[in-house]
Amino acid sequence: MTSITLRSFRTSDAPAVSRLFRKIYGDHYAQPHVYLPRMIKQNHAVGRWHSLVAVSNDQVAGHSALILDKGTSIVELALSVVDPQIRGQNVATQLGRHLLIHAQALGYQGVTIKQMTHHPYTQKMAAGLGFHNTGLLPDHAPSPFGNAVTESLVLGYTPVDGYQRPLPALPWPDECREFMQQMCDVFGTRLSVSPWVGAPAQLEQRWGRYDGVFNEVDDSLLKQLQQLPEHWLISIRLRLAQGFDNAWRRLSSMGFVFSGLAPDDRGAGWLALFHRGFQPRSLALQCPRMQRLHDDMQQQIAPLTGLQVGGNRP
C-alpha cells in the first residue's frame, strides 16, 4: 500500500493541484478557478479556500477544501479530487474528516456537501463522514465529465459539535409530511422561527439556471414568478416559516416541485427547495430517503415529458 501523508495546502502546491483536476476531469470541472494556479493561490490568500492535500511519493495526489464565505455560519466541503493511483485507500474521506475538525476550529456551526449523482463515490464519502442528506438539486451544474446531461446533486448537511439547527414546528402538507417528519427526527424542532438575515428577495443566474432566495412568497411575488418565461429553469429557496403549507400548494400549482431542504447559510433556520423546468431522468441514489424524494419528483413532472420541460440548459 502506498504511503500517504495529509498536510495543509502550501502556495507552491497550486500548479500540482490544478494538474490533478485536469487529469481527472479534463476541461469540464464546473469551478474554473482550479484551472488557474494563480486563482488557487489567491483564494487561499484571501481566506476563501482552506485546503488540505494528500501527498504520495512527494507528489500531490489528493485535494479537498472548505469553501468559506463571510457573514455565514456554514462552510462547504468541496473541491475533492484523488489521483486514481491511490484510490481505494479512503483518501477523500480522511481529508474530509480532518476538514470537519478544521471547520469546528474555525468557528463554523455546520458544514454542507454537494454529492454527485453520476457516480456513488461522493455519496458514500458523505455518508461515511456523518452527513445527513436534506435535498436534491436537479440539473444543477454542467457535467464534470463532459456529458450532455447536466449533473444533479444530493445536498448533505452536518452540524458542528455543540450547535443545533432544529426545524420550526409547522403543519406540513400531506404530500411531504413523511419527509419533513424524517427531517424533524434528525434535527429536532422548536416552536420559534429563526429570524431572516439579508435581503428579502434575491435572484441570480448561473449555468443557465435562475436561483431565487425568498423570505416569503406573497401574492405579488407569486404573480411575478408566474410571469417569468416558461422555458426558464428556476430554483427557489424559500424560508421555512409560518404559511409554508399554503406556499407549497401555490408553488406546486405553478409547476414548482418540492425537492427537500437546505440550511439557511445566512441565519440559523432552513430553506425549502422548489424547482421548475428540470429534465425527467432515472437516478440510482445511495440514500433511500433521497431516492424516494427523487422518484416522487419524477412522478410529478411525468405529465410534462411530452412537452419542453428543460428550456435553457446549463
Side-chain angles (χ1 to χ4, degrees):
M1 184 176 292
T2 305
S3 177
I4 300 170
T5 301
L6 307 186
R7 63 165 173 79
S8 296
F9 170 88
R10 301 169 183 167
T11 301
S12 59
D13 294 329
V17 170
S18 184
R19 287 194 298 270
L20 185 58
F21 273 94
R22 192 177 295 276
K23 177 179 181 179
I24 304 302
Y25 295 111
D27 301 326
H28 306 295
Y29 198 73
Q31 171 53 272
H33 288 191
V34 301
Y35 295 109
L36 289 178
R38 177 172 293 186
M39 292 302 305
I40 295 175
K41 295 178 184 178
Q42 179 174 297
N43 282 321
H44 285 90
V46 300
R48 169 74 172 144
W49 293 2
H50 177 85
S51 298
L52 295 179
V53 296
V55 178
S56 175
N57 296 324
D58 296 324
Q59 301 294 320
V60 173
H63 174 272
S64 192
L66 297 175
I67 307 297
L68 314 172
D69 276 326
K70 294 181 179 179
T72 175
S73 63
I74 296 175
V75 65
E76 181 182 359
L77 177 63
L79 301 171
S80 296
V81 64
V82 176
D83 193 302
Q85 294 182 353
I86 64 168
R87 284 180 183 165
Q89 300 186 51
N90 294 320
V91 174
T93 300
Q94 293 180 54
L95 288 168
R97 186 170 292 118
H98 281 79
L99 284 170
L100 290 179
I101 296 173
H102 286 212
Q104 182 178 22
L106 291 168
Y108 286 90
Q109 299 180 11
V111 184
T112 61
I113 187 172
K114 296 185 180 79
Q115 307 155 55
M116 291 185 185
T117 55
H118 180 89
H119 58 65
Y121 305 123
T122 53
Q123 297 175 58
K124 291 180 178 179
M125 179 187 74
L129 291 172
F131 281 91
H132 303 285
N133 294 324
T134 64
L136 292 173
L137 305 173
D139 293 356
H140 188 77
S143 168
F145 302 100
N147 299 330
V149 177
T150 51
E151 183 75 22
S152 295
L153 303 173
V154 175
L155 180 64
Y157 175 76
T158 184
V160 170
D161 288 346
Y163 293 97
Q164 297 181 341
R165 185 177 289 266
L167 278 68
L170 300 173
W172 309 119
D174 292 340
E175 296 85 346
C176 66
R177 180 171 291 121
E178 180 180 358
F179 176 86
M180 297 303 293
Q181 187 56 57
Q182 290 172 343
M183 292 291 97
C184 291
D185 292 342
V186 171
F187 297 107
T189 59
R190 63 179 173 190
L191 295 178
S192 61
V193 175
S194 299
W196 183 257
V197 179
Q202 303 169 52
L203 185 64
E204 306 291 340
Q205 183 193 33
R206 190 179 191 191
W207 299 319
R209 187 188 70 252
Y210 295 83
D211 286 321
V213 183
F214 303 111
N215 177 26
E216 63 178 354
V217 285
D218 55 17
D219 291 344
S220 175
L221 179 58
L222 285 166
K223 183 177 181 180
Q224 293 170 38
L225 288 172
Q226 200 162 22
Q227 293 173 345
L228 293 177
E230 292 184 2
H231 63 270
W232 279 16
L233 171 58
I234 303 176
S235 298
I236 287 178
R237 285 176 285 169
L238 173 65
R239 181 191 187 199
L240 201 59
Q242 286 86 0
F244 169 73
D245 51 346
N246 182 55
W248 190 95
R249 290 188 171 87
R250 298 188 68 178
L251 287 169
S252 297
S253 70
M254 295 167 52
F256 286 91
V257 176
F258 174 73
S259 73
L261 302 177
D264 181 357
D265 58 3
R266 296 291 171 180
W270 288 91
L271 306 172
L273 304 174
F274 294 90
H275 298 269
R276 190 197 76 181
F278 58 93
Q279 293 290 323
R281 69 179 62 183
S282 175
L283 290 176
L285 303 177
Q286 298 292 303
C287 173
R289 182 167 59 239
M290 291 296 104
Q291 186 68 58
R292 287 194 296 272
L293 182 60
H294 166 76
D295 294 344
D296 288 344
M297 293 169 62
Q298 295 302 304
Q299 289 180 8
Q300 291 180 63
I301 66 169
L304 300 176
T305 54
L307 303 175
Q308 183 184 7
V309 297
N312 290 346
R313 301 294 300 277

